[in-house]
Each structure stands twice: as structure tokens, then as C-alpha cells.
Amino acid sequence: MSVNNPQTREWQTLSSEHHLAPFSDYKQLKEKGPRIITKAEGVHLWDSEGNKILDGMAGLWCVAVGYGREELVKAAAEQMRELPYYNLFFQTAHPPALELAKAVSAVAPKGMTHVFFTGSGSEGNDTNLRMVRHYWALKGKPQKQVIIGRINGYHGSTVAGAALGGMKGMHDQAGTLPGIEHIPQPYWFGEGGDMTPDAFGIWAAEQLEKKILEVGEDKVAAFIAEPIQGAGGVIIPPDSYWPKVKEILAKYEILFIADEVICGFGRTGEWFGSDYYDLKPDLMTIAKGLTSGYIPMGGVIVRDEVAKVLGEGGDFNHGFTYSGHPVAAAVGLENLRILRDEKIIERVHAETAPYLQKRLRELGDHPLVGEVRGLGMLGAIELVKDKATRARYEGQGAGMICRQHCFDNGLIMRAVGDTMIIAPPLVISHAEIDELVEKARKCLDLTLEALN
């Protein structure tokens, strides 16, 4: 990235001297300096050098209604003037949190009408760990402590969130927690070998039952999974996977936690990924699209039968200073109103998602592309050396090369290993989808040239 604006250098110096960034190689960041983003509108960003960039990742999967929505700014300002903060501890509440709980319940799957608010999805999954173990203790089964997650699943980066997730790099640095087990992911392209997608989906689902029996049903509290794995590389399970998982869950007395932090609030073309796959979770983690990322907020939507047990069990000794923050709740309420009144999710379902998926699939003819997959406003492009064998450019960092070309050519597309992924704002237009795909093709061309 060439730098012409002196202020860019000043900000990069501040970064080097004072800021520790999340998920960053600090030595590399200091050498290169971060790209400084200064403004945004709709689906585009601008950096401090004046470059216009199409945000193919909606921030971090979260800016559902796009940048620059004055209604959300107004909702935050008005709430700050009236009640900028108060907590929900000690038998106290405030209208924004209560109204948002009702609004979330109205769009949640049937029978899920209770919400516990947090400051993020990571905190939501910490809450899930505490809540399911407390639930089973109240049911007279305190030995049910084990939670089963998936290898390469992502459930946040707090201690419990990272432990519940199955990201090796995170576990290598900080370990995990006792009482958490992991099973294989339903990643057919990367791990399916010679099996058909449906056969592999059945096999991956059966690993859940195998783990339940290995640990002992009497010790298993819950299974946690994203309807579609996001940070793991937009892993869309084979069609056979979720029906088989539902069949297994119905056989055993364990809870099911659907992590909807990425899939929730319209990304699949339904309100939740659980709606798309007809799942029946007992708890659902939410965040990101709840406020379109304009202000931090997360939570857990709880099935009524679980909430009833919790409601009869005395103190639940868990919570956060910012649980149900009134300003975040006010923004969340207005964000849900925009999604509902502007019929954004209906438009995604009927118009823009089908168009995005059609245009993305056109990239499958590129010599560097082994598979293009997607659903709703999610997509993944697998970079390979050999289409027939799915062999990668081992050790050459194809994904990072492509990501850099994207940055340099006005597109944010994320690299997960050698998988390029997108999750644009839900309000992206047909013309902007065309722009995204054209820029992606150009960056694939440049990447192939660099690799060869």
C-alpha cells in the first residue's frame, strides 16, 4: 500500500507505538502499518489515502443494513440523552432492554421467547456454558457438564468461547477448558476425500453420536454448532448433515446450542440459520446483525422450557456490566425495525442472494478455483493448484496473496487459509454484486500470476 497522506503515517506511528490489535502478527503489522479506514457509506469504505473499497465482509459479518444509517445514529443519540446507562442487576430493568427482548422474541423460532443480553457473541457463548451447566444442576443432574463442539468451529475469543470453538491456533496459545470435547466438521471439500457430499455429511453427523456414547450421555450437557461455520471458512454442510444431527439429538437428553452470531438476522435469507435448516435449538447465541455492528451487543435466546427451569432455580450468578446496555438496546430495536419495515431479509431471500450466488458460481471456471459455494449472503472460493485432486499451493500462502490483491484493488475479501470468503452487507445491490464479482475475478487473475 503506497502512502501519500502524511496523516496516514501519523496514524500508523500511533498504531506501532501504542496499539495492540486483535488477531494480528505485531511484527508484521509494525513493518507494514495498518490500512487506516476513515469513513463508510452503504457497502463501501474509504481509507485515509482516499481509496474506495467495497466491503465484501460487512465489517466482521455484522453491518447488515449498511453504513451511514442515520436512523441508528438518531436512536443512539436520543437514548444517550434520556438514559445513557444503567445496569440490569439487583431487580432493576429499563425500557430499551425489555422492549428489545420482546422484539427479538417476536422474530425468534417458535417457543423461544426469553433473552439474556451480553456485550458480544463471545460473552454469549460464555453465558451458554454457565447456563447449560446451571440448568442441569437444577434438574438434579449436576454431572452433565461436558459440551461438545466442532473442530474448526468458532464461538468467540474469550476463554470459554475459544475453548468451545475448535480453532487449533487459539488452543495452541491458550489451551482449552476441561469438560469440552470436539468432533469433526462437515467440510466436504477439504476433508471429504472420495466420499460423496451426502455420505460425508452422514459420517460427520454420526461423529456426534459416537462422541455422546464415548463420553456418556449422563455426562453430556450440550452440543454447540454454527448452522454454517463462518470464520472456519464458510463451511456449508452437505444436505444430509443437519437432518441426521437432528435425528441424533432427538435420541439423547442433551441441549442444542445454535451459534447464530453470523447466520442470525437475515444472512441466510431467513431470520436465523435455524429457520433455514429447520433446527430446534434450546439456546441461540446472537450478536453482530442484532445492531448491524453500530454498537456492541450480543445475547442468548432461550427456549421457554429451559427458561422455566432457570426461573425456578434461585440466583443465576452470572452477568455483565453492559448486559442490555440501553443505548445498544435502542440501536438494536431500530435496526430490527429497519430489517422488518424495509423487508430487507425478504429481498435477500427472493432477489439479491440468488443473484449473488449465481454470479459467484461464474468464478468456478477460473483455473485457480476448485469450488465455489454459498448460501444467502455468504460465499466461499477455494483456491487450488489442481482442480481434479483439490491439491493446494502448499506453503505458498495463496489466500494471503489473494487477500492483498483484493486490498490493493478496492475489495475486502477475507482469507481463511486458501479459502476466500465473503459476507457483504444485506443491502448490497445487483450492481454492487457485479462490482464484487468483477473485482474478485481480477484478484484471482493477479493471484494466479503471482503463484506461477
Side-chain angles (χ1 to χ4, degrees):
M1 172 183 160
S2 61
V3 175
N4 299 308
N5 181 354
Q7 198 166 21
T8 301
R9 286 286 184 215
E10 290 177 26
W11 282 322
Q12 289 179 335
T13 299
L14 290 179
S15 170
S16 175
E17 293 180 352
H18 302 291
H19 184 226
L20 294 174
F23 283 92
S24 295
D25 179 327
Y26 295 137
K27 182 175 183 292
Q28 184 185 76
L29 187 62
K30 186 171 185 176
E31 290 169 355
K32 291 181 64 176
R35 179 185 293 274
I36 308 297
I37 302 300
T38 55
K39 67 176 183 176
E41 184 70 28
V43 302
H44 289 93
L45 309 163
W46 283 262
D47 66 17
S48 55
E49 295 297 298
N51 297 306
K52 184 180 180 181
I53 309 155
L54 194 155
D55 185 2
M57 283 305 302
L60 276 177
W61 322 81
C62 52
V63 187
V65 300
Y67 297 98
R69 294 300 300 243
E70 284 298 322
E71 306 97 311
L72 299 184
V73 177
K74 182 181 177 185
E78 289 180 353
Q79 187 58 50
M80 283 185 177
R81 292 188 186 100
E82 186 169 333
L83 179 68
Y85 171 75
Y86 201 68
N87 66 77
L88 300 179
F89 288 40
F90 317 125
Q91 299 185 4
T92 303
H94 48 69
L98 302 178
E99 290 169 9
L100 182 59
K102 180 183 177 183
V104 169
S105 298
V107 298
K110 186 178 179 182
M112 302 190 77
T113 64
H114 295 77
V115 186
F116 185 104
F117 288 115
T118 67
S120 67
S122 297
E123 287 182 3
N125 283 320
D126 280 36
T127 299
N128 284 325
L129 184 146
R130 297 277 300 276
M131 193 174 278
V132 298
R133 289 177 174 175
H134 180 53
Y135 167 84
W136 286 116
L138 293 174
K139 294 272 284 183
K141 298 183 179 183
Q143 75 279 8
K144 287 175 81 71
Q145 294 267 313
V146 175
I147 300 176
I148 300 170
R150 297 190 298 202
I151 295 167
N152 204 38
Y154 186 81
H155 301 298
S157 126
T158 50
V159 173
L164 290 167
M167 296 285 180
K168 184 178 183 299
M170 298 172 79
H171 292 175
D172 286 348
Q173 287 186 347
T176 182
L177 293 175
I180 296 173
E181 301 281 344
H182 295 92
I183 60 173
Q185 60 181 334
Y187 181 20
W188 175 79
F189 185 84
E191 300 175 6
D194 296 329
M195 300 174 76
T196 65
D198 278 350
F200 179 72
I202 295 291
W203 176 85
E206 287 174 342
Q207 303 314 298
L208 173 59
E209 184 165 38
K210 182 179 177 183
K211 182 62 71 174
I212 292 168
L213 295 175
E214 176 189 313
V215 173
E217 181 187 0
D218 61 319
K219 294 183 177 66
V220 177
F223 171 54
I224 183 169
E226 304 154 87
I228 295 168
Q229 285 163 250
V234 182
I235 308 300
I236 298 171
D239 292 343
S240 59
Y241 180 77
W242 279 117
K244 185 64 177 178
V245 168
K246 289 193 292 181
E247 181 186 311
I248 292 165
L249 289 171
K251 290 169 62 175
Y252 298 99
E253 191 184 23
I254 68 172
L255 299 176
F256 172 43
I257 306 164
D259 186 330
E260 294 270 6
V261 170
I262 286 172
C263 291
F265 303 103
R267 188 143 298 277
T268 64
E270 305 287 347
W271 274 97
F272 295 96
S274 294
D275 297 323
Y276 183 88
Y277 287 110
D278 190 30
L279 308 179
K280 299 289 186 289
D282 298 290
L283 303 101
M284 284 174 35
T285 325
I286 55 172
K288 296 192 186 292
L290 174 60
T291 63
S292 281
Y294 276 56
I295 197 162
M297 193 175 212
V300 178
I301 311 176
V302 181
R303 186 161 294 282
D304 296 348
E305 292 88 340
V306 175
K308 184 174 186 292
V309 172
L310 298 173
E312 296 170 353
D315 283 355
F316 179 43
N317 297 311
H318 176 76
F320 304 96
T321 300
Y322 302 118
S323 290
H325 192 289
V327 178
V331 171
L333 268 169
E334 182 62 12
N335 182 65
L336 293 186
R337 185 200 65 75
I338 291 170
L339 288 171
R340 184 183 63 249
D341 291 359
E342 296 185 10
K343 299 188 182 303
I344 290 172
I345 297 170
E346 290 88 339
R347 182 168 175 263
V348 166
H349 177 90
E351 298 177 32
T352 48
Y355 186 71
L356 173 67
Q357 297 305 327
K358 173 178 172 290
R359 289 299 326 270
L360 271 183
R361 295 305 190 283
E362 294 171 12
L363 297 173
D365 66 5
H366 195 280
L368 185 57
V369 175
E371 179 183 70
V372 180
R373 60 178 177 269
L375 193 159
M377 282 290 156
L378 289 161
I381 303 164
E382 296 280 6
L383 308 185
V384 296
K385 189 172 187 176
D386 187 304
K387 286 175 178 275
T389 64
R390 298 179 236 161
R392 306 284 192 176
Y393 283 88
E394 294 294 343
Q396 291 181 253
M400 295 304 285
I401 292 170
C402 187
R403 188 184 77 165
Q404 188 60 51
H405 282 305
C406 289
F407 278 164
D408 293 342
N409 288 277
L411 174 64
I412 290 177
M413 188 160 61
R414 183 169 169 181
V416 177
D418 287 347
T419 307
M420 306 307 297
I421 60 175
I422 60 158
L426 304 188
V427 294
I428 192 170
S429 68
H430 283 216
E432 289 160 345
I433 289 169
D434 292 339
E435 178 190 346
L436 188 158
V437 174
E438 286 158 14
K439 286 182 173 178
R441 183 174 288 278
K442 177 181 180 180
C443 295
L444 290 170
D445 288 343
L446 292 168
T447 301
L448 183 61
E449 185 181 323
L451 288 167
N452 291 336

